[in-house]
Amino acid sequence: MATSLVRQTKLLSIVTSQFNSAACFRNIHCTAACLKNRAARIRVGKGDKSVTYEQAYHPHDIGHRKGWLSQHTSNLQGEDEAAERVVEDVFIRRFMYGTFHNCLADEVVIKRRGNLLVICAMMIQKLLPSKFYFLIGYSEELLSHFYKCPVKIEMQTVEEKVVYKYL
Amino acid sequence: MAASISHPALSSLRKINCNTNGIFSLISFSRRISVSSVLSTSAVATEKEGAGRGVRGQRRSKRQAGEPRTERMSVDQDWTAVYPTAAPFKPSAVPLPVRMGYPVKRGVPPAKKGNLELIKIPNFLHLTPVAIKKHCEALKQFCTEWPAALNSDEKCMKHFPIQVQSKEFVSAGLSVRNPDARIVTLKVKLSSLNLDDHARKKMIKLSEERYCKDTDTLTIVTDSCPLRQQNYDYAMYLLTVLYHESWKSEAWEQEKTRADMEEYEWEDSPSQKNLLDTLLRMRPTGAKDEEEGAREELLGQPAVQEYRDTLLKLKNEGETEENLQKYKEAVKKLFNI
């Protein structure tokens, strides 16, 4: 009985050592995969995909060829509440994307002037102006109640998405 | 009647042709087929199409966007009316042919229409010199004149020797509070306070590292209270207490030894004793009796005084070329070298 157990453990150790060799090496992942080299990048294709300036340049070009979509003072040295601002930004972007369905021509730009939250959005002329005005008023009212601060939406419209290049 | 309906029927037929590839052959036939037959086959279809086209026509043939504001701007317009407050860049309201962005290969930077980069950056179009002048004019009614008597820094320092500094913080966010705003710095020059020699030395000793010798400034920084007003009151209280305590003399202050002195004093120092002994020995052997009077007489001599001055300079200010030279001269004079 003891010898069979010993043999089983020996077998197990042989098997595990084989698995630990370079050929079949598995690790246990405890965190979510970040895929930092695939984030916010549109891969080059056949040449029929139109991309805007924002989509054409990758995150490493921020600060070199692209500006920042969201500006506030919390990221400066010695300032507080950076995380709260980031969470607000994420919510605002999803909100705008959902409220103005298929109308957004480009990313939403968020600016903060003291207490005031300014959301600059570029839209395609898909809806009637009166519908746009209603949605602007609705968004401003709702967001100002959520965040307890004045919210202004500055909207610009273009006929169609501004194409920078084709990938 | 047939002719009047022919147009929509034919156009709808063309539409059907465009939508369904299978009936391409009908395009060549459409011109020759008589209207009646077309009508019969697509009579039902026209109504449907007409209704469909009506709705779609509303979306397709929407009203054109008007011309941008830049077309109607005159050269001498009031720019403060276009950008009265801080606003993002509006390409239809700014008449400049601005381009921004990295150009595509063998291309130019993208134009201003629909350019997100121009919207991202902060602009100062609302702060032209004309606009700032208008702001100043509007604010003037709330301002008072600077008092004419305080027309130089020295006069300001003379009348207001105590300087109090504190910081205000402005940031983007939902909260106005910043804990660093409670810190108060109080600066005062000791020369402007009424202190005698003992009080001045005691005050410097009491304030330790808060006193700067080069600028003769006492700096008190208070941040222990939660409010700025409280910190200001505490700083003023500290100054008052320092001042009054430095004027008082405690009993134990009599026990001040040579090691506690801030400056080197020549009187009663080993250097003085040594010098006097040397000079007395240098004298001819005749006048040895009146030693006390001789000492005072020696002290009164200009050479000795000069030696004393140079020695004080050396000890208090440190060794420099100048000081060492002067010491050398003084010693030479003393010993008549």
Side-chain angles (χ1 to χ4, degrees):
Chain A
M1 182 29 195
T3 49
S4 65
L5 265 174
V6 165
R7 214 187 292 154
Q8 274 173 10
T9 49
K10 267 204 180 142
L11 259 174
L12 203 63
S13 60
I14 292 165
V15 162
T16 46
S17 64
Q18 272 187 350
F19 270 112
N20 280 342
S21 66
C24 42
F25 188 64
R26 290 281 167 100
N27 269 336
I28 301 173
H29 278 280
C30 302
T31 55
C34 287
L35 286 177
K36 284 191 269 195
N37 49 355
R38 292 197 76 95
R41 278 158 220 262
I42 296 191
R43 302 264 145 183
V44 172
K46 289 233 171 77
D48 54 351
K49 220 182 332 183
S50 65
V51 278
T52 59
Y53 189 90
E54 189 64 32
Q55 292 164 333
Y57 287 111
H58 298 160
H60 63 261
D61 284 319
I62 294 175
H64 302 274
R65 295 184 191 179
K66 286 208 292 192
W68 278 266
L69 286 169
S70 163
Q71 285 183 336
H72 48 86
T73 59
S74 312
N75 288 328
L76 296 173
Q77 170 84 2
E79 294 289 329
D80 278 330
E81 299 190 347
E84 283 88 348
R85 300 291 97 78
V86 168
V87 171
E88 283 170 25
D89 282 356
V90 170
F91 178 82
I92 290 168
R93 280 176 212 285
R94 280 173 191 254
F95 184 87
M96 296 297 286
Y97 181 73
T99 316
F100 297 88
H101 185 69
N102 263 353
C103 290
L104 276 174
D106 217 334
E107 295 283 336
V108 172
V109 172
I110 300 175
K111 296 187 180 188
R112 283 185 178 81
R113 264 175 233 134
N115 200 10
L116 174 66
L117 188 58
V118 180
I119 302 171
C120 310
M122 186 89 75
M123 303 279 173
I124 310 172
Q125 286 160 5
K126 206 174 155 213
L127 301 173
L128 289 175
S130 54
K131 293 204 204 286
F132 268 129
Y133 282 128
F134 168 74
L135 284 175
I136 290 173
Y138 158 85
S139 314
E140 284 187 359
E141 193 65 30
L142 221 54
L143 285 172
S144 65
H145 276 285
F146 282 152
Y147 291 122
K148 310 280 181 267
C149 65
V151 175
K152 267 168 62 166
I153 294 184
E154 309 268 352
M155 186 175 286
Q156 290 177 24
T157 53
V158 280
E159 268 109 54
E160 56 200 12
K161 268 196 192 178
V162 180
V163 176
Y164 178 67
K165 65 183 185 184
Y166 291 91
L167 288 179
Chain B
M1 194 200 101
S4 64
I5 317 173
S6 70
H7 233 294
L10 277 172
S11 60
S12 66
L13 191 60
R14 280 201 207 103
K15 265 215 178 64
I16 300 168
N17 292 336
C18 298
N19 287 339
T20 55
N21 288 332
I23 327 175
F24 262 130
S25 49
L26 270 175
I27 295 170
S28 55
F29 277 66
S30 61
R31 300 242 167 85
R32 294 212 193 137
I33 292 173
S34 63
V35 173
S36 53
S37 62
V38 166
L39 266 176
S40 60
T41 49
S42 53
V44 180
T46 44
E47 280 169 19
K48 273 198 201 154
E49 272 306 303
R53 200 167 37 74
V55 171
R56 236 189 280 163
Q58 205 179 356
R59 262 190 249 157
R60 287 280 165 81
S61 61
K62 60 190 178 241
R63 64 162 199 243
Q64 293 295 315
E67 60 170 10
R69 190 173 168 179
T70 52
E71 311 289 329
R72 279 175 276 132
M73 283 181 173
S74 65
V75 178
D76 55 353
Q77 68 169 337
D78 182 21
W79 183 252
T80 55
V82 185
Y83 266 87
T85 51
F89 183 85
K90 291 168 207 150
S92 57
V94 177
L96 304 166
V98 187
R99 287 181 173 269
M100 179 148 173
Y102 196 82
V104 203
K105 226 182 203 176
R106 305 176 75 205
V108 290
K112 65 178 180 177
K113 186 151 186 273
N115 196 331
L116 201 67
E117 297 300 312
L118 282 166
I119 301 175
K120 284 179 193 173
I121 53 169
N123 65 64
F124 294 96
L125 293 163
H126 59 291
L127 291 175
T128 50
V130 180
I132 295 177
K133 274 211 186 89
K134 280 194 184 175
H135 287 316
C136 292
E137 288 301 320
L139 287 171
K140 261 200 180 129
Q141 54 172 314
F142 302 109
C143 300
T144 53
E145 284 281 332
W146 181 260
L150 292 174
N151 50 7
S152 70
D153 274 339
E154 290 80 25
K155 284 195 188 163
C156 290
M157 283 302 289
K158 184 179 140 209
H159 292 287
F160 303 98
I162 301 178
Q163 285 181 324
V164 177
Q165 290 168 353
S166 61
K167 289 186 191 168
E168 298 266 9
F169 291 84
V170 177
S171 66
L174 301 172
S175 168
V176 182
R177 311 293 163 200
N178 192 317
D180 291 336
R182 74 186 194 285
I183 300 174
V184 171
T185 309
L186 189 144
K187 285 191 183 169
V188 65
K189 282 207 169 165
L190 288 191
S191 50
S192 56
L193 296 174
N194 182 19
L195 297 165
D196 71 350
D197 190 44
H198 158 262
R200 191 189 151 84
K201 286 189 179 154
K202 186 166 176 186
M203 193 139 176
I204 292 170
K205 259 207 189 328
L206 283 172
S207 33
E208 289 169 0
E209 76 266 359
R210 291 178 194 80
Y211 176 71
C212 170
K213 208 167 143 205
D214 299 324
T215 53
D216 190 33
T217 323
L218 172 66
T219 312
I220 300 175
V221 179
T222 43
D223 62 351
S224 36
C225 305
L227 296 183
R228 188 190 293 153
Q229 180 63 34
Q230 294 170 341
N231 279 320
Y232 171 75
D233 291 338
Y234 181 49
M236 294 303 283
Y237 162 76
L238 282 177
L239 183 65
T240 320
V241 159
L242 265 177
Y243 180 75
H244 289 297
E245 281 298 314
S246 55
W247 268 103
K248 288 187 211 165
S249 295
E250 304 283 335
W252 44 260
E253 283 180 39
Q254 304 304 322
E255 296 159 24
K256 193 175 180 186
T257 60
R258 210 165 192 20
D260 296 323
M261 297 286 181
E262 298 85 8
E263 285 181 331
Y264 181 79
E265 279 179 1
W266 196 64
E267 285 74 28
D268 294 334
S269 72
S271 165
Q272 188 192 34
K273 284 191 208 121
N274 289 342
L275 180 66
L276 286 172
D277 284 337
T278 321
L279 285 174
L280 278 171
R281 282 207 196 111
M282 270 166 53
R283 277 222 187 154
T285 44
K288 256 195 207 162
D289 321 301
E290 314 155 15
E291 284 208 14
E292 281 304 315
R295 279 183 190 267
E296 276 165 28
E297 196 193 308
L298 279 171
L299 279 172
Q301 278 174 11
V304 174
Q305 288 293 323
E306 202 186 316
Y307 178 77
R308 172 184 171 271
D309 288 336
T310 51
L311 193 66
L312 279 175
K313 264 198 198 157
L314 262 181
K315 289 272 181 177
N316 290 333
E317 288 169 25
E319 291 181 11
T320 62
E321 283 282 340
E322 214 184 296
N323 285 356
L324 283 172
Q325 280 288 88
K326 284 193 181 152
Y327 182 70
K328 186 172 108 182
E329 299 299 319
V331 169
K332 278 208 254 175
K333 268 196 204 158
L334 265 179
F335 297 129
N336 301 323
I337 299 167

